[in-house]
Each structure stands twice: as structure tokens, then as C-alpha cells.
Amino acid sequence: MTIRVGFPMVGGAAWTGGLNYLINLLAALREYAPEAIEPVLFVEHEAQLPELAPLREWVTLPPVVVTASAGPSRRWRKTFDCLVRQRDVGLENALRGAGVSLVFQHSAWFGLRFGLPTLAWIPDFQHRHLPQMFKRTTWLKRDLGYRGITHSATRLMLSSEDARRDVEQFYPAARGKSRVVSFAVKTDDCADAEAHNALLLRHAIPQKFFYLPNQFWKHKNHRLVIEALALLRTRGVRVNIISSGNMQDARDPAFPASIVQEVRERGLDEQFQFLGMVPRSDIPLLMQAAVAVINPSLFEGWSTVVEEAKSLGVALVLSDLAVHREQAPARARFFDPHDATTLVDALAAEWQNEQGSPGDAALRYQSAKITNEMARAVFARRFAALCAETIHATADGT
């Protein structure tokens, strides 16, 4: 039986990880479970339709628009329905009219009595582990939202066992209905040396470098990399860091500029290069050209950066987090995210490590590609199975 599932927009310019997650999920379903899941995108009003453009390639049905305009009447009606009637009636009716029988839920609140089964994906619980990164009001809003979703959702989907332990510890209502479905990413074919060289010339990148593809949020821990770079220089080891990602942090708007300023003040301009946002197609090329990919984050969900590097057979230098240990392949070095000296040791070892011949790299890539395609198939089929379980749980009252 094919299940028609409604998908909202997740992420966007402010959170590219959410958008990439949804692209990877829809692409995997299209390729590996087309007979099981029929996706339907939906938005609150017509003005949001352009946001769906990156996703349209992976769906065949037209999107659902709940209301024609973004006027206050819909917002007030939605608030009243969710808080008083305990169900978003407008959304429910629109999705029922499109034949949707299950809703993929991310952060929106549909009410305790929402009339369709819901499968809620919660990426991580950063606010619980790093409360100092949040304003008090933001922390409370997020925590209340998660508390409401864990109570109302038919099933909860986590990307790691680490996240499942968190949700069941922090929100007891999740116990018994949380499931792990780890995502995998869609990657393009390995580029040749000419494409790599053209990329390096276009961005004025040195031939040998580490790649740091993280958004400029405080918890991504760029400062530790700067400190390690300075310490390496005192040891006579000069390495290059190429950094890309959204250079905006809504929680701390001054933070990205402070990172750039610190690099300048330490005289590391020639070794730490900021690319900002780069075309999506450049990221795998940068990963493949790098000595290794670094993720120094203080906290992660199931990391898209790690997953993309894995899919390409690229070496990784990772902060020693439980989720990184759960996710990482054999070609990973770990360091304490609070101790720059441990990162120095990891970077120095990887910088001096012989990478082997181009033939070795090609073999690693081919092996990683096969493993990744198997992971994508598992991702799609486990998601489809969880959708079926969610519908059956609603029918059974469990």
C-alpha cells in the first residue's frame, strides 16, 4: 500500500541542514521506496511556494496551500484552533482534501487532537546540553515545543541512538514511541583532477588544506580551530584551513565577525580562508580535494558534514562526541572539543599522513559509494516502515 505523506518545508537559508535533510530524504524515497511513499509538499500560504523550489525535483504531486494569503486571519485562526480546539483544522482539512494520510512533523505544533497521524522528526537536543547558547525565552520556547510534540506525535523519529537516549531522558512521554532512522546523503559521482584544480583556482585555494564546512554558529567551535592553527605554527607546522558556511548566527549576530577578526589579529589570514556560502555542488569537490574534513562542534545531531565525507571516502577529524563515535567510519581521528592541544595532535598527524596514490583514493571512493548507497536504501525503507507503523498505531490506538 502506498502512503501519501505530507511534508512541510524544513530549514532554509538560516538552517541549510534542515533543507539538506529533507532533500536527502525525498531523494532516497524517490529512488528506493517509490511504491511505499508518495510525498506531498505543503505550505501555509502561497507566498511560501518559492521556498519549495529545491524540493520539487523529488515529488510528482502538486503542493498543498492551506490559505491563499499570509493575512492575520489565518494566523489567529491557527493559534485559536491549536490552543483551544487542540487541532489545526485548516491544515488538517487541506491535507485530507489532498488525500494525505500521514503528516511529517518537524517544529510546528498541530494540537493534541490533530486528526491525522503524525511522525515527528527531532534532530537533536542542543538546548538541553548547551543552555548557555540560548536566550532564556528561546530556550523555553524550544523546550515547550519539544514537550508538546513528544506528547502529541503518534511516533517520534530520531537520527541517532544518542538522540533517542536524550528524548527519553528529557521528555518521558517519548518512551515507547521513539524510533531511530539514521539518514544518509545523496552524492554525485567523483570529480576528476581537472575539476578539482578548476575549483581550487576559482576560490584561490592552496593545493593542500583541511576543510571546515560548518555554519558560523558559536557551538560549531571555530575558535578551537584557530587556537590549534596558532599552536601548530609554534611547532613549525604550517597548515591551511578552508572554511565555508553561512556566516550568520541569529543567536549571536556579532559572533561570525568576531571569528574573522580573531584570525586577522593572530596573523593567520593566509592560513585560515573564509569562503562563506558556496554552491552546493562545490562542497563534495572541496571535501575530496582536502587532506581531511574537520568538524570541531561542541554538539551535533547526526551530522550532515560527517555523512557527506563518509559518502566520499574522505578522512575525518572530529570532536569526541558520542554521536560522532556512533556515526563515524574507520578513517576518523577524534579530539577533545575543549582542548586545542588534542586537535593539534590530530591535525599534525593527518597533515603528515601519506594519502597514497590517486588509485588508492579512487578505490576508497568506490567502496564508500557502495556503502553509502546501501545506507540510503536502508534510510528510505526504514522511513517507509515507520510511516506504516505510525498509521497502524493510530488505528490501534497505541
Side-chain angles (χ1 to χ4, degrees):
M1 178 186 74
T2 301
I3 302 172
R4 188 169 287 187
V5 180
F7 289 89
M9 180 66 179
V10 177
W15 182 38
T16 55
L19 175 59
N20 290 335
Y21 177 88
L22 202 51
I23 289 171
N24 286 319
L25 174 56
L26 294 175
L29 291 173
R30 180 75 173 272
E31 293 177 49
Y32 293 104
E35 73 294 338
I37 302 295
E38 191 172 34
V40 179
L41 303 175
F42 68 87
V43 292
E44 283 289 326
H45 48 80
E46 289 179 351
Q48 293 176 321
L49 282 172
E51 297 176 11
L52 300 178
L55 309 174
R56 297 293 295 274
E57 178 181 355
W58 309 108
V59 298
T60 56
L61 296 171
V64 171
V65 180
V66 179
T67 56
S69 67
S73 59
R74 164 60 182 159
R75 292 197 299 271
W76 281 110
R77 171 56 62 182
K78 178 183 176 72
T79 301
F80 176 83
D81 284 347
C82 288
L83 294 179
V84 179
R85 302 175 71 180
Q86 284 297 305
R87 50 193 284 256
D88 187 341
V89 178
L91 176 62
E92 183 182 324
N93 290 340
L95 293 177
R96 284 191 186 278
V100 168
S101 53
L102 170 69
V103 184
F104 181 75
Q105 187 177 11
H106 171 50
S107 58
W109 171 245
F110 303 149
L112 282 168
R113 297 189 179 93
F114 190 65
L116 290 168
T118 54
L119 174 58
W121 172 59
I122 304 179
D124 61 61
F125 301 90
Q126 182 192 146
H127 74 294
R128 285 285 190 154
H129 290 273
L130 300 175
Q132 69 275 18
M133 299 285 181
F134 295 80
K135 293 179 180 178
R136 184 61 180 167
T137 52
T138 305
W139 190 99
L140 286 170
K141 182 179 178 181
R142 178 175 289 205
D143 200 65
L144 286 171
Y146 283 4
R147 194 170 298 278
I149 287 172
T150 54
H151 270 86
S152 65
T154 314
R155 287 289 183 269
L156 297 165
M157 187 170 80
L158 297 312
S159 296
S160 68
E161 291 293 342
D162 187 53
R164 178 158 70 172
R165 287 191 293 270
D166 278 351
V167 75
E168 293 182 354
Q169 175 187 348
F170 298 134
Y171 309 99
R175 295 170 188 168
K177 60 179 180 179
S178 60
R179 306 288 185 268
V180 175
V181 179
S182 301
F183 69 83
V185 299
K186 180 175 176 59
T187 55
D188 298 323
D189 288 337
C190 186
D192 57 22
E194 184 177 343
H196 285 151
N197 290 334
L199 176 78
L200 300 185
L201 285 171
R202 176 154 44 92
H203 291 297
I205 294 172
Q207 286 290 323
K208 190 175 182 182
F209 63 91
F210 289 108
Y211 183 35
L212 174 57
N214 278 355
Q215 301 195 95
F216 277 71
W217 297 342
K218 188 178 290 186
H219 76 279
K220 294 297 185 180
N221 210 17
H222 289 77
R223 280 209 161 88
L224 190 83
V225 179
I226 297 171
E227 181 66 26
L229 204 60
L231 289 172
L232 278 166
R233 192 168 57 179
T234 66
R235 294 186 184 184
V237 181
R238 185 183 177 91
V239 306
N240 303 306
I241 305 289
I242 304 300
S243 174
S244 71
N246 185 4
M247 298 188 72
Q248 295 181 353
D249 186 345
R251 288 177 291 181
D252 189 350
F255 176 72
S258 73
I259 290 295
V260 175
Q261 182 64 25
E262 184 170 347
V263 168
R264 289 174 180 164
E265 289 176 353
R266 286 175 173 254
L268 297 170
D269 307 59
E270 294 183 0
Q271 292 176 254
F272 199 118
Q273 184 175 341
F274 300 95
L275 301 183
M277 293 292 286
V278 298
R280 187 79 189 89
S281 57
D282 281 2
I283 293 175
L285 291 174
L286 287 163
M287 286 186 171
Q288 288 172 312
V291 172
V293 171
I294 309 171
N295 190 348
S297 185
L298 295 169
F299 185 86
E300 283 291 329
W302 193 260
S303 170
T304 302
V305 167
V306 173
E307 209 59 34
E308 288 175 337
K310 280 169 57 178
S311 74
L312 298 167
V314 174
L316 283 155
V317 178
L318 303 174
S319 52
D320 198 354
L321 306 176
V323 70
H324 276 163
R325 292 279 184 178
E326 182 180 340
Q327 184 181 10
R331 294 192 73 212
R333 297 180 189 271
F334 296 93
F335 62 91
D336 182 343
H338 303 283
D339 183 355
T341 61
T342 63
L343 176 55
V344 164
D345 293 339
L347 292 179
E350 200 62 50
W351 190 256
Q352 295 160 9
N353 186 36
E354 289 295 330
Q355 299 298 309
S357 67
D360 294 334
L363 286 174
R364 284 196 300 270
Y365 169 74
Q366 290 301 326
S367 176
K369 182 177 181 180
I370 293 168
T371 301
N372 184 62
E373 288 308 309
M374 292 172 62
R376 292 184 67 229
V378 170
F379 177 34
R381 290 162 189 162
R382 284 184 177 170
F383 179 84
L386 184 51
C387 288
E389 178 191 334
T390 303
I391 288 178
H392 293 151
T394 301
D396 296 341
T398 59

